[in-house]
Each structure stands twice: as structure tokens, then as C-alpha cells.
Amino acid sequence: MNFDDFQKAWQAQDTAAKVTINADTLLKEIRRNQQSLRRTLFWRDVREVGMAFVLTWYFIQRGLRTEAWTDCVVGLTCFAVGAFMVVDRLLQRRKQPVASDSLAAWIESSLLQVNHQIWLLKNVFWWYLLPLSAALGVSVAVSCWHVRDRAAQLTGWCIYVVICGLLDWFLYWLNQTAVKKSLEPRKRELEALRAETGFPVQPSETKNNTMKITLILTVLMLAVLALGVIIAAVPAPANAAPDQSLETIRKQHDLPALAVVVVKNGQICDRQAVGVRKSGDTALVTTNDLFHIGSCTKSMTATLTAMLIEEGKLRWDTTLLEIFPELRGKMDPRYEAVTVEQLLHHRGGVPGEPPAGAWKKAWQEIGTPMQQRREFIEAVLSQPPEAAPGTKMIYSNQGYAIVGAMLEKITGQPFETLMTEKLFKPLHLDTAGFGPPGTTDNTDQPWGHVHKLLMTIPLQLDNPPAIAPAGRVHCSLDDLARFVMFHLHANATNGLLRPETLARLHTPTAGGDYACGWVVLQRGWAGGTTWMHNGSNTMWYIVMWLAPGKDFAVIAATNIAGPEAEQGCDDACVAMIHHWLPE
Amino acid sequence: MPQHSMSAHEQEAIFRRWLDAHLGLLLKIIRGCAAPQDQDDLFQDVLLQLWSSIPAFRGDAKETTWIYRVAFNTALAWRRGEQRRRVKHETFLKMEVSPESQPSHADTLSAQEMVAQLYTAIRGLPKLEASLALMHLDGLSYQQMAEVLGISENYVGVKLNRIRQQLAEKLKGASDEL
């Protein structure tokens, strides 16, 4: 038997006869396979490269908005890693093995590809883990530096090092396992094949060239982006110095809008507003825009009460039982002797938290605001007080809601009407109103905002009307300034309130610091006494500081709530105080 | 991969034509390169690669050379287990019992057995030699084989000498046992 016999038998075999092929099903299957392969590759790219660029966008826009250079560094690093992957993938795609090449050429290109992948994974620490960990490390280190507490600084840093170290080690291990388990056996296989074809082993020079090109292109792209960020970050030429500083504060604290008004010697001497009415919208805030004043409403409710006292409708010491005799038996008896003034000073024992059921009901807003309030305060008063009345200060929106209901009971008019007729109109607070400012779904006025999951969400919501006397007023800062001037100038109240009545509004209970809607504090810059209050309906924040000794006041407001809002408004007030009270 | 514009219709037409004309050749390669239980999977992969390669095919390359290259490259890159994740929706391929154990009537038995033993022998060869053996048995010229594999004709000659000896020895041993 010789080879020719083999060949004859071989060529005589009818292989195809034993096979039936359904060409249509086959084509369908092939197309499906090809699509699934493409989809897999596409989603791998989206996952890896897309993630890098989403992070780039997130950190750079955050960095630019808050002027935090560390965020920009993290963003640029994400971009560099993403760019490296893109450039590498594009260069490698051109050199992919082609199935129709000769076997030798195909082995050669497959080997290059495997070698390149091994190189990438072996060096994953240098081009992926180290840059990202280092950039994040810088960011964390700077954040820690800003924390005043040494122990907290150290703890923060240690947590970062441990988490980052473990994560890096895990990713590195994963990559090296892939090299050992899958890439190196493949490489050995291909090398054995190449040896079979009888070709000498060539040094892979092209690979080094590719690496150089990849690195150069990455650095170039990085340079272009860095330049863009620098150009965007360099501030525009200053027009007015104070305005710029307010904008800086706004950016620093990532607030949608920030506004201030300053009162000195009986008139408004400065008003500024920066930022946007609604996050994600282009409409800018103006100095005439309306802000929600939250609990700064309390001093207005107290002032209205004082006016009705002067009218003789009630006394400072009028008790709850006097006003609501019909609630005898329903009301906890300990509330019966609580006075109006105690309620205004938060000393009526009224709980700080509303009863859950009544609070839920209040949000449903069934009936007129007056009915809602009445129902709400009846529920509050039917529960035991949090402390014995008169013994302790408990900050309570419920207490002010009760005051509002008392005024309604005496006059028979809704609190909102009383406030408008007796306070807003005589003081010319023409923009003052209740609830969220502006028309629904319109940016004719600023919106409130909340921070959720790294996002700033604009909202047009407010507290329920039941607690309107504690915090549901909105108005322009100019109008709030007019109200503040009314309090600063005992002799210029146009007969609306007698000086001694006004003084009583500013006088806390002995031993305390809360007067009627005002916190009374001593401050050096004010040359002594200040009256202040802040307010927030959880979507806005405002703070007002009055320095009667200097005939000065400053109000700062923003359309978002939270620690950043509070710090931003404080910073704005400090900047104004420095500017207008230089000594 | 260089691609010139080609409609899906054209691609399909070429694929159907190749399948008609070269199915036997493809099946021989599959049988020579993979164990019986893997042949179905490998065949699917080869067909997929062949389909994808069509847009790059130009008239200047010889059809059979092209098909040999794609099939060999795929068979050499193919490894068991990688395809495990693939879900087979439909089977388009029905392979009858492999010729190794195919019973038949007496006068063709020796030829059939010889072919079956050849396949077994080829699968036992190193991969490059297996591909050379397959092409050689199909009667390709040295030049064609050199072209498919990208090696010199001389080297093809050297290799084939050894392959012929090896095959003869293996088959002789097998027939001695009978």
C-alpha cells in the first residue's frame, strides 16, 4: 500500500453525501452569531471607554462648577485612561489577524495580538490602576486637609488607602490570572505553530512602535483637553469686585443661585444675585426675584400678633383656654394656661415634631387653609406637651401654627389674609405671598432644589398650609429688607407699632436667646446685639442678620437647602459684613 | 480588514455558491482537524469565519486557496470550550455517523476503512503537518500548498516526505493489527 492508494481512496470518498445542510437556517444562524459577536464587542467598548468618559464629564463639570482643581485632575486622569484605551483599540483593530491570510501570516499577527494583550494586562498597574488611584488620592488628601479635626483627617485617609489598596490589588490579581490562565497558554500554542512552519522567531519591534504611538497620542489628547479645561476655568475679566466674590462663593458651594441684600443707615445699600433660577435651565436670577424665606416667616407672624395686641384683640398673656374654650376636655389640660408670648418664644411645651397622623393629614391639604390649621392644632393640642409649659425652649413650627390659629379664631379671618392686609400692604411688601414662588412649571421665578444621589433636582413645593405661620412666606429680598428696616427703626414704623411693642418682640425670655421670631445673639462685628434668624423649607435656605447698633442688616438666600447652602449663605454674609462694616 | 462595498445579497450569493462547490473540502478539513464530538462546533465557526471573510474576497485570489486559508486558520485558532457559551437555536447541520465506524458492503469496506484510518492518523499529526496532509491527499500542487500556508515550496517538499512516511507507517500498523 503506498501513498497513491491513499490518495485514490481519499479522493473517492463522498463526504458531502453524508451531510445535509439547510442553507437558509445556516445563514440565519451565521447572521445571528455575527450580530451577537458585534454586540458583545460594542458593549465591552461602551462599558469600558464609555465609563471613562462619563466619569471625565462628571468630574470636570463638577470641578469647573465648584472651582475644585482636584476634581479636574481626577477628570483629566479618567480621560487619559479612556483615551489610552481608545487609541490602543483603534491601532490594534488595524492589525487584527485576517482569516484569509496565509497560515504563517495569520500566526504572526495572532502572536502580535496576544503579546500585546499580555503586555497590556501585565502593565495594568501603570496605565490604569496607578493614575486613577493617584488622582483620587490627591483629591482625598486635599479634602482631608480641609477637615479641621486631625483624627478625622487621618481616619479619612486611612479608609481611602485601605479601600483603594484592596481594590487595586484585586484588579491586578484578576488581570494577572487572565494572563496566566488564558493568554500565555495561547501564546505558547502559537509559538509552537510558528516553530512548525519553520520561521525564525522575530523580535516584535512593531509592538514597541505601537506602544509609543499610543502613548504619544494619549498625551496629545490629554494636553488638548487640559488646555480646554484651563481656558474654561480662567475667570472672565472682573466687572465688579463684590459681584465676582458672590459668584465665587456660589460656585464653591455648588448652589444654583445666591442672592444678598444689605441694609445700612435706613436704606438698601447693596443687592446682588448670581446663578440660575432652576438647575439645568438658562434663566438667570435677578435682584428682584422671589425667595422662599422659610422660618423667617416666624418674625412676621410675631409682628402681626403684636399689631393685633396693640389693637386690643388679645394680650401677650392671653391663654389658649381663653381663645379656645370649646377645646376644654379635648386639649391636654397642661396647655390651657399657655400664653401667646410663650408660644412665640417656643416655650409653650409644644413638641418639636408634629404628631405623625396629623402631619400626614396636613400634607393632603383638605379644606381651606384655616380649616387645615384648625384640624392640625387640635391634633397637636390633644397630645401631651413635650415639656411642662414655660420650663424649656423647644423650637416648634407647631407652636407658631397654634398662634396663627389663635389669630384666626379672634378675627375670624384666615391667617394669610390677616398677614397680607395688616403687614404686607402697610409695609409695601408687594411681592410677599405664600407657597413656592412663581407660576407652576415656569422659570419666571427661582425654583427650590434638593440634592439627591449626586444630582440637583429642581422642585416647586412647600410646607403644608397648616404650618404657614411658621414658614410659608416668599418675597423678594428687597421686600424682606423693608421688613427688616421696620424692625431696625423703632421710630420710623409709621405708627404701625409702638417702639415698646417692637422692643418686646426683640426681648427673649430671661436666660434664653429666643425672642419673638428672632434669635438674639452678641457679635463683635455688630458692636453688641444682633437679631438673626434662618429658614428653610428643605428646598431653600435664607439667613438674616440685623445689627441694630450699627443700623445694619444683611440677608443671604439661596434656592437649595443643606450644609453647602448654609455655608454659602454664611460666607456671603461674612463677605458683605467685611465690605460694609470694614472695622 | 480591507472591505469594499458589497451588498448583503451578493455576499449571500457567493456564500451559497461556495457552500455548493466546496462543502466536501470543508468537511474534510473539519474531520481532519477536530475529534468527532467537536466537529459540529468547529464547522459552525469555520462557516461563520468564511461568511465574514467574503467582503474582503477579490477575484485575484483563488477560491480554493482562500477557503483553505480561512478553514485552517479557524481550525488552528479553535479550542474546545470557548464555544460552550454559545446557545444553539437551531441545527442547520446533520452529520451522519462519522465514517470511522460506518458499516458498508464488502467490496468498498477496505477503501472506507482506509479513509477512516487516514482521518485518525491526520488528527494525530502536528497541526501544520495535518493541514499539509489534507491538502496533499486532495491533490494540491506544492505551489498551492505553499501559498495557503505562507511557507516555501522547498519546505513543503521536505515536510511532505516525512508526512507520507508517517501516514504509511500508521496505516500499515493498523492493517497489520486487522
Side-chain angles (χ1 to χ4, degrees):
Chain A
M1 212 184 279
N2 62 26
F3 193 79
D4 290 340
D5 297 326
F6 295 161
Q7 217 168 19
K8 221 184 277 169
W10 181 266
Q11 285 172 13
Q13 68 169 316
D14 191 3
T15 336
K18 295 193 184 72
V19 170
T20 42
I21 268 190
N22 180 343
D24 292 320
T25 322
L26 169 62
L27 278 169
K28 218 166 77 190
E29 180 77 359
I30 281 178
R31 290 213 174 93
R32 192 187 59 76
N33 271 343
Q34 208 174 21
Q35 268 170 6
S36 96
L37 189 71
R38 274 194 201 135
R39 244 199 318 268
T40 309
L41 289 180
F42 173 77
W43 283 113
R44 185 201 63 185
D45 286 2
V46 166
R47 218 172 37 236
E48 293 175 359
V49 179
M51 190 67 190
F53 290 122
V54 164
L55 288 175
T56 303
W57 172 84
Y58 172 73
F59 280 110
I60 288 189
Q61 60 91 24
R62 202 176 87 152
L64 289 179
R65 217 173 49 204
T66 60
E67 289 182 351
W69 62 271
T70 49
D71 279 345
C72 289
V73 169
V74 176
L76 286 174
T77 312
C78 290
F79 178 80
V81 171
F84 181 84
M85 289 199 277
V86 169
V87 172
D88 179 71
R89 225 154 261 181
L90 288 178
L91 288 177
Q92 289 306 313
R93 189 166 293 174
R94 289 209 323 244
K95 292 193 274 180
Q96 258 180 8
V98 180
S100 58
D101 266 346
S102 72
L103 185 70
W106 179 85
I107 291 172
E108 226 28 63
S109 46
S110 297
L111 251 178
L112 275 182
Q113 195 185 34
V114 171
N115 276 330
H116 179 73
Q117 272 167 353
I118 291 176
W119 182 90
L120 271 184
L121 298 197
K122 275 195 168 165
N123 289 290
V124 72
F125 179 76
W126 297 108
W127 65 270
Y128 187 86
L129 299 175
L130 181 68
L132 289 178
S133 310
L136 272 175
V138 168
S139 184
V140 171
V142 170
S143 303
C144 288
W145 184 257
H146 284 306
V147 180
R148 282 180 204 117
D149 181 9
R150 261 244 173 267
Q153 256 182 26
L154 211 65
T155 317
W157 179 247
C158 288
I159 288 174
Y160 169 75
V161 169
V162 168
I163 289 179
C164 189
L166 282 176
L167 200 67
D168 279 0
W169 175 83
F170 176 69
L171 289 174
Y172 185 78
W173 173 82
L174 220 58
N175 279 284
Q176 302 323 304
T177 309
V179 168
K180 248 182 244 149
K181 289 259 165 77
S182 136
L183 291 175
E184 275 177 345
R186 174 112 189 91
K187 183 185 167 175
R188 280 195 294 275
E189 215 171 86
L190 285 167
E191 276 171 351
L193 264 177
R194 183 163 69 175
E196 258 192 78
T197 59
F199 283 106
V201 178
Q202 290 169 350
S204 32
E205 254 175 56
T206 38
K207 194 195 78 169
N208 292 335
N209 277 342
T210 315
M211 291 330 305
K212 254 184 230 159
I213 295 170
T214 309
L215 281 174
I216 289 169
L217 281 177
T218 306
V219 169
L220 269 178
M221 284 166 81
L222 193 61
V224 169
L225 189 75
L227 202 68
V229 171
I230 289 166
I231 290 168
V234 168
N239 296 327
D243 186 55
Q244 205 198 344
S245 77
L246 197 68
E247 176 64 7
T248 311
I249 295 169
R250 185 189 73 76
K251 277 184 172 173
Q252 250 168 22
H253 298 284
D254 198 11
L255 310 172
L258 180 60
V260 290
V261 62
V262 182
V263 166
K264 203 180 177 191
N265 301 328
Q267 54 187 347
I268 293 172
C269 62
D270 198 357
R271 56 166 77 78
Q272 295 174 38
V274 293
V276 290
R277 286 174 172 166
K278 182 184 175 189
S279 176
D281 196 278
T282 51
L284 299 174
V285 284
T286 71
T287 49
N288 295 320
D289 276 4
L290 311 187
F291 282 79
H292 195 279
I293 70 165
S295 292
C296 292
T297 303
K298 289 188 174 73
S299 56
M300 291 182 170
T301 302
T303 308
L304 171 68
T305 310
M307 285 170 169
L308 290 168
I309 287 171
E310 284 200 351
E311 281 179 28
K313 298 264 169 55
L314 74 166
R315 307 175 317 275
W316 289 105
D317 59 0
T318 302
T319 63
L320 279 174
L321 190 64
E322 278 179 70
I323 308 268
F324 302 119
E326 70 278 15
L327 290 184
R328 188 198 290 272
K330 290 184 195 165
M331 175 164 65
D332 188 292
R334 281 165 287 183
Y335 280 127
E336 287 177 359
V338 168
T339 68
V340 175
E341 197 170 24
Q342 280 178 324
L343 290 172
L344 292 175
H345 285 187
H346 294 300
R347 282 174 183 271
V350 184
E353 290 298 319
W359 187 237
K360 207 173 153 194
K361 191 85 188 290
W363 277 102
Q364 293 169 0
E365 300 187 19
I366 302 162
T368 63
M370 205 164 145
Q371 289 164 344
Q372 293 173 40
R373 255 182 308 271
R374 175 68 192 221
E375 198 179 336
F376 179 70
I377 68 126
E378 277 185 26
V380 172
L381 291 173
S382 70
Q383 307 280 318
E386 191 175 320
T391 58
K392 190 179 167 191
M393 190 213 141
I394 301 162
Y395 187 86
S396 172
N397 289 331
Q398 289 58 254
Y400 270 74
I402 294 168
V403 172
M406 289 169 92
L407 304 184
E408 286 173 332
K409 177 76 195 302
I410 294 162
T411 60
Q413 292 194 58
F415 167 79
E416 287 81 359
T417 312
L418 283 173
M419 196 77 142
T420 309
E421 294 302 322
K422 297 211 167 280
L423 192 80
F424 296 168
K425 282 188 181 169
L427 289 182
H428 301 290
L429 313 183
D430 301 328
T431 64
F434 296 88
T439 41
T440 310
D441 292 333
N442 208 322
T443 49
D444 55 348
Q445 290 298 338
W447 288 42
H449 293 81
V450 290
H451 256 310
K452 257 199 189 129
L453 297 171
L454 302 172
M455 284 185 300
T456 304
I457 303 163
L459 292 167
Q460 281 180 309
L461 294 172
D462 200 1
N463 286 323
I467 61 158
R472 230 176 100 88
V473 168
H474 65 245
C475 63
S476 72
L477 292 196
D478 271 18
D479 278 354
L480 191 56
R482 270 185 272 280
F483 173 72
V484 158
M485 283 189 274
F486 172 85
H487 274 269
L488 280 174
H489 289 261
N491 299 320
T493 53
N494 299 328
L496 284 170
L497 275 186
R498 285 197 291 272
E500 58 270 29
T501 310
L502 204 58
R504 189 154 183 172
L505 284 173
H506 301 148
T507 309
T509 313
D513 58 14
Y514 202 92
C516 299
W518 296 106
V519 182
V520 182
L521 301 170
Q522 301 300 311
R523 286 292 181 272
W525 58 265
T529 302
T530 61
W531 307 322
M532 68 81 61
H533 212 283
N534 56 8
S536 172
N537 71 348
T538 70
M539 289 154 258
W540 302 73
Y541 182 78
I542 190 163
V543 61
M544 42 184 193
W545 285 94
L546 284 66
K550 301 263 182 186
D551 197 1
F552 174 90
V554 57
I555 302 167
T558 177
N559 50 348
I560 191 166
E564 289 293 329
E566 291 166 26
Q567 194 58 52
C569 286
D570 282 353
D571 289 357
C573 287
V574 168
M576 291 302 124
I577 291 166
H578 274 290
H579 188 258
W580 290 99
L581 296 177
E583 72 278 15
Chain B
M1 196 186 288
Q3 298 211 354
H4 57 257
S5 57
M6 172 181 279
S7 71
H9 190 72
E10 274 179 275
Q11 190 175 3
E12 192 180 318
I14 293 177
F15 186 71
R16 281 175 190 273
R17 189 160 53 73
W18 282 4
L19 213 54
D20 265 356
H22 306 293
L23 181 61
L25 183 156
L26 287 169
L27 289 169
K28 279 186 242 175
I29 297 173
I30 305 300
R31 284 185 182 152
C33 293
Q37 67 271 23
D38 298 330
Q39 288 172 3
D40 198 21
D41 272 351
L42 174 60
F43 190 48
Q44 285 195 49
D45 249 35
V46 169
L47 291 176
L48 180 61
Q49 288 298 333
L50 204 59
W51 166 266
S52 310
S53 79
I54 292 177
F57 179 74
R58 286 153 212 242
D60 52 4
K62 216 182 157 208
E63 246 174 55
T64 42
T65 307
W66 186 276
I67 291 167
Y68 269 119
R69 280 178 167 187
V70 173
F72 282 140
N73 288 342
T74 312
L76 295 191
W78 191 83
R79 270 184 297 171
R80 265 188 90 178
E82 277 181 8
Q83 280 71 23
R84 240 179 273 148
R85 275 167 299 164
R86 183 193 297 161
V87 184
K88 269 190 245 171
H89 291 289
E90 287 172 88
T91 39
F92 50 81
L93 180 70
K94 284 196 181 66
M95 281 197 182
E96 283 177 24
V97 194
S98 55
E100 279 94 318
S101 56
Q102 176 83 24
S104 190
H105 34 89
D107 58 329
T108 55
L109 186 71
S110 67
Q112 284 225 340
E113 278 218 345
M114 192 188 290
V115 171
Q117 283 169 15
L118 275 171
Y119 274 121
T120 316
I122 289 168
R123 283 201 294 272
L125 292 175
K127 285 180 172 179
L128 182 84
E129 293 181 7
S131 51
L132 272 169
L134 283 166
M135 288 189 283
H136 189 40
L137 284 166
D138 269 340
L140 263 67
S141 71
Y142 280 26
Q143 195 220 327
Q144 274 178 302
M145 288 186 245
E147 213 180 310
V148 168
L149 298 181
I151 58 181
S152 70
E153 281 180 53
N154 264 345
Y155 194 58
V156 171
V158 174
K159 281 271 175 192
L160 279 181
N161 266 335
R162 266 198 55 210
I163 291 166
R164 286 156 78 135
Q165 279 173 13
Q166 273 183 301
L167 285 181
E169 264 170 45
K170 282 193 183 186
L171 263 73
K172 187 164 163 269
S175 52
D176 283 350
E177 279 167 27
L178 287 172

